[in-house]
Amino acid sequence: QLGKRDPLPKGDSLVLIRRANFSQTASNNKRRVMASFQETVQAPAEAHARAHALRFALFDDAALPPLREQLALFTRASIIVAPLGAGELGMVASPSGACLVELADPTRVDKSGAVHPHVDATYARLASLLGHTYELVPTPGLVADSAAVRSAMQRCSERGGSTAPRTASHARHGTRTKV
C-alpha cells in the first residue's frame, strides 16, 4: 500500500464522475452522449446506490467545487464509477477498500487513423497502491455497456476488501452509451 494513511470510516457513498468536456467526441454528438449517459450509466448507478443503502453523489466536472469539498466527497466513497481520466484521482481521499469502476476505451487511434489495442493501467495501479478494489469496464469507441457497468458495481458491493483487478465483459447484452 502507498504509505501510511489515517484510517477512514468505511465509505457510505457511490460517487459517479460525469465528464462535461468530451475532447474525443464531436460537439454535435454531445447532447446525445449526455442523454445516453443519464439513461445507461447514471440511472443504474443511482439505482445501485438505493438498493445498497448508499448515498449517491454526482461529481460533475462542469461545475467543480473547491478542492477541499471535492476531497470531502471522496472520503465517503465506497464505490467510484468514472470514465478514464484525472477525475479518478479523487480516490486518494477514499477509505481503503473503496472500489473503482473505470470506464475505458481499450483502443487508441494513431495519427494515420489506425486502431491499436491500448491499456492504461495508471488508475488500476493507483487503486491497488491505495488498497482499493478495481473493476474495468471496456468502452470501445467510448461506448459503455450498461449491463457490464451494473455487473461491475454489483461485484464491488459483493467483494468488500479483495484488491484483485477484474474486467467486466462488454459482450453482455445491454444498452450502450458513450462516456
Side-chain angles (χ1 to χ4, degrees), residues 53-64:
L54 297 171
R55 294 173 177 229
F56 177 81
L58 182 62
F59 182 84
D60 191 335
D61 68 0
L64 292 175

Side-chain angles (χ1 to χ4, degrees), residues 13-17 37-52 54-58 79-82 101 146 149-150 153:
S13 299
L14 185 152
V15 176
L16 175 63
I17 298 174
F37 180 87
Q38 164 62 32
E39 294 170 17
T40 61
V41 177
Q42 185 171 336
E46 290 173 349
H48 185 86
R50 279 191 306 276
H52 294 274
L54 297 171
R55 294 173 177 229
F56 177 81
L58 182 62
I79 300 174
I80 302 164
V81 179
V101 176
S146 65
V149 174
R150 284 191 301 273
M153 290 186 296

Side-chain angles (χ1 to χ4, degrees), residues 29 32 38 62 76 90 112-113 132 151 156 159 162 175 177-178:
N29 289 332
R32 181 180 54 79
Q38 164 62 32
R76 301 184 72 136
S112 69
H132 298 333
S151 293
C156 287
R159 240 193 359 246
S162 168
T175 309
T177 184
K178 289 196 173 200

Side-chain angles (χ1 to χ4, degrees), residues 138-171:
T139 57
L142 300 179
V143 177
D145 180 334
S146 65
V149 174
R150 284 191 301 273
S151 293
M153 290 186 296
Q154 186 60 39
R155 284 192 300 276
C156 287
S157 293
E158 291 170 354
R159 240 193 359 246
S162 168
T163 57
R166 299 277 308 252
T167 301
S169 169
H170 64 281

